Amino acid sequence: MAERSRIVVAPGDGVGPEITAATLQILQAAGTPLTWDTVQLGQAVYESGNSSGVPPEAWDLIRQTGVLLKGPVTTPQGKGYKSVNVTIRKTLNLFANVRPCKAYAPSVASPHPGMNLVIIRENEEDLYAGIEHRQTPEVYQILKLVTRPGCEKIIRYAFEYARAYGRKKVTCMTKDNIMKLTDGLFHQVFEEIAAEYPEITANHFIIDIGAARLAASPEIFDVIVTLNLYGDILSDIAAQIAGSIGFASSANVGETVSMFEAVHGSAPDIAGKGIANPSGLLIAATQMLVHMGLAPYAETIKNAWLCTIEDGIHTPDIYRESLSTREVGTADFAAAVIERLGKQPRVLESVAYQAKPIKVGYTPRPAEKRLVGVDIFLCWDEAGRDPQALVRKLAPAATTELPLTMITNRGVKVYPEGLPETFCTDHWRCRFKSSAPDIPYQAVLELMQKISNAGLDIIKTENLCTFDGKPGFSLGQGE
């Protein structure tokens, strides 16, 4: 008897228990060497007073087994509740989100029958760091955090995935024409790593035109790698145009723990009716099996699922009179898949998995860091918000070592050489920059003390540093 592997199963909320039960029935019928512990995540946990939606015993089991198969969960509306998905991904370092999006024409209606792509999304950083502040009565801020280790791991994972699954092209999408440091880093690391995989075609799109091309011509893409927010949006677009978001699955892969789930939500409007499509979670379970080194079982299940779809046995979300032969509910769909275990599809392409678990790392790159100035952010709403009045108020604080070189409002330069048409809010960035190659931090502290003594409200500071002689900050005009 094969050694049995232990996993954790979280049925979730809404339709979650129904599609989870159907998926587990298929796993059992296929003879997969799995045992599982069941944990509760989501709504019931929130209602018990746990704002994360994850009880302590669940953390322990997930970390022990290293594998979580999770149904969709409901996050209560209102403040103070954290997303279970985001909490698990970030806490357990599930850095890679892998979402295959494939059309199953002619068996399932799709406007893009040739579509067969995978979106690999960075899972922990970017705007999803969730660090937000209200800085003035008018201005709110969120921090976009992008790290070199995060970029290197996810981009290398995308190329290793392409190599493992026989895919020929990896496309990077960023907005580095605007966000030159953060998205610029992602694009730069992409070019560096792409050079190590000469057999794989690599290209780059600015995210807006890339999203438009994905919606119009998804068949031109193979593997897409991108940052967190862009990937979240792109993967839902891709799932929908493939034919049904009910087919969309997601693997969240980390160094020691991985989570597998359907992309769709808990759908409380159809919960308990027995009509939910279990396909997304079932396909996620096949991703899980491949990840665990149980590829033959994944092949058997996925091919049986393809036979079921091909035979026109469809749940209501994909049922079409012209394509379907029988409309079934969740349990009958699972029974149909079980009935076809061991069979191969006749029209749809069968699957054969050769891939092994993908392991990636990153190389630390130390750099010489030197302080050359400071951006001091102020909340200031006086003198009709006239930038020249602010300059006069700041003049006594500036020093020979740290002169005032620029003021911006919402990123637009208003001093020197500002224009009167520029709209100004109550949030000002005041740049004090030295011409010296390095200054002591004490100079910044003395400057801040002078500004505070002038009656100005400092809401934030950002040190201006060079790294190996290159500016680590966005430059203003003339700098």
Side-chain angles (χ1 to χ4, degrees):
M1 179 180 292
E3 182 179 349
R4 303 190 74 79
S5 299
R6 186 170 165 227
I7 66 171
V8 174
V9 174
D13 305 312
V15 298
E18 300 166 61
I19 63 173
T20 302
T23 298
L24 295 179
Q25 286 175 358
I26 295 167
L27 292 177
Q28 285 182 315
T32 55
L34 299 176
T35 59
W36 50 81
D37 297 293
T38 302
V39 299
Q40 186 68 49
L41 304 177
Q43 190 163 14
V45 182
Y46 289 124
E47 291 172 351
S48 73
N50 185 324
S51 63
S52 74
V54 185
E57 60 272 18
W59 286 119
D60 293 341
L61 284 169
I62 294 166
R63 293 174 61 226
Q64 287 168 19
T65 65
V67 179
L68 170 64
L69 180 64
K70 187 186 75 64
V73 300
T74 299
T75 302
Q77 295 296 312
K79 297 181 179 179
Y81 296 105
K82 301 177 182 178
S83 162
V84 166
N85 282 0
V86 173
T87 298
I88 292 175
R89 289 169 183 168
K90 292 172 67 174
T91 303
L92 298 178
N93 185 214
L94 309 188
F95 68 92
N97 185 287
V98 183
R99 293 191 181 183
C101 298
K102 178 177 171 60
Y104 294 98
S107 300
V108 178
S110 172
H112 302 284
M115 178 179 179
N116 182 9
L117 61 90
V118 178
I119 296 175
I120 297 180
R121 155 194 169 200
E122 198 288 316
N123 224 11
E124 300 177 284
E125 301 181 346
D126 192 21
L127 295 169
Y128 281 41
I131 303 173
E132 297 184 273
H133 304 92
R134 183 176 182 178
Q135 296 188 315
T136 75
E138 293 184 350
V139 175
Y140 297 72
Q141 170 190 271
I142 184 168
L143 296 182
K144 179 183 175 93
L145 299 179
V146 177
T147 69
R148 183 171 185 102
C151 295
E152 192 167 329
K153 285 198 299 182
I154 193 64
I155 292 167
R156 191 171 297 283
Y157 188 95
F159 279 95
E160 287 293 325
Y161 183 97
R163 178 179 281 174
Y165 285 87
R167 292 182 174 265
K168 305 301 182 185
K169 181 168 65 174
V170 178
T171 299
C172 174
M173 293 194 192
T174 71
K175 190 68 175 174
D176 65 336
N177 58 330
I178 303 297
M179 289 168 276
K180 299 180 186 298
L181 292 181
T182 51
D183 285 30
L185 173 65
F186 197 91
H187 190 179
Q188 174 191 333
V189 173
F190 177 79
E191 297 294 341
E192 293 171 2
I193 291 178
E196 301 177 26
Y197 298 82
E199 78 279 15
I200 298 172
T201 300
N203 64 345
H204 172 267
F205 280 107
I206 296 297
I207 185 65
D208 40 10
I209 188 62
R213 294 289 294 275
L214 173 64
S217 306
E219 61 277 356
I220 70 172
F221 296 103
D222 198 354
V223 175
I224 296 172
V225 63
T226 189
L227 295 101
N228 204 338
L229 177 62
Y230 308 147
D232 194 4
I233 296 168
L234 289 179
S235 54
D236 280 356
I237 293 171
Q240 188 61 45
I241 63 177
S244 172
I245 201 166
F247 289 166
S249 65
S250 174
N252 300 270
V253 180
E255 295 173 7
T256 59
V257 178
S258 296
M259 174 174 69
F260 303 85
E261 59 184 341
V263 170
H264 62 76
S266 58
D269 55 320
I270 62 170
K273 297 181 179 179
I275 60 173
N277 188 347
S279 296
L281 189 61
L282 181 62
I283 295 172
T286 65
Q287 290 179 273
M288 177 188 74
L289 292 169
V290 174
H291 173 79
M292 297 175 69
L294 300 171
Y297 297 97
E299 290 176 11
T300 297
I301 292 170
K302 186 67 176 289
N303 285 324
W305 178 84
L306 290 168
C307 288
T308 306
I309 295 298
E310 185 178 84
D311 288 344
I313 301 173
H314 296 163
T315 48
D317 59 314
I318 60 168
Y319 181 86
R320 302 288 187 277
E321 286 190 5
S322 59
L323 298 175
S324 308
T325 59
R326 182 156 58 102
E327 183 175 349
V328 296
T330 312
D332 286 342
F333 183 84
V337 174
I338 291 169
E339 184 182 334
R340 288 161 177 77
L341 289 170
K343 295 184 178 180
Q344 297 283 319
R346 303 175 305 280
V347 177
L348 297 174
E349 184 180 2
S350 63
V351 298
Y353 299 117
Q354 306 297 326
K356 297 179 180 179
I358 297 170
K359 300 291 185 182
V360 299
Y362 67 92
T363 304
R365 296 178 182 237
E368 183 183 42
K369 177 184 173 187
R370 292 190 172 186
L371 179 66
V372 296
V374 63
D375 279 345
I376 295 181
F377 293 77
L378 303 175
C379 176
W380 184 73
D381 192 12
E382 300 174 18
R385 300 181 181 178
D386 178 8
Q388 293 299 326
L390 180 57
V391 171
R392 290 191 292 271
K393 202 164 180 75
L394 284 167
T399 65
T400 303
E401 192 170 30
L402 280 173
L404 176 66
T405 60
M406 181 177 66
I407 299 176
T408 67
N409 195 290
R410 297 190 302 168
V412 180
K413 188 175 74 166
V414 295
Y415 169 82
E417 301 174 354
L419 296 177
E421 290 84 3
T422 302
F423 174 79
C424 292
T425 184
D426 58 358
H427 183 278
W428 308 80
R429 176 181 62 157
C430 306
R431 173 161 292 181
F432 297 83
K433 187 168 176 291
S434 175
S435 57
D438 197 8
I439 60 172
Y441 188 63
Q442 183 62 35
V444 173
L445 294 176
E446 291 172 0
L447 173 66
M448 291 172 61
Q449 185 63 60
K450 286 186 174 184
I451 292 174
S452 180
N453 290 342
L456 291 165
D457 180 11
I458 299 174
I459 54 175
K460 176 187 174 182
T461 65
E462 288 286 352
N463 292 342
L464 305 180
C465 298
T466 61
F467 295 83
D468 291 337
K470 296 180 180 180
F473 47 93
S474 57
L475 297 175
Q477 186 176 348
E479 287 190 290

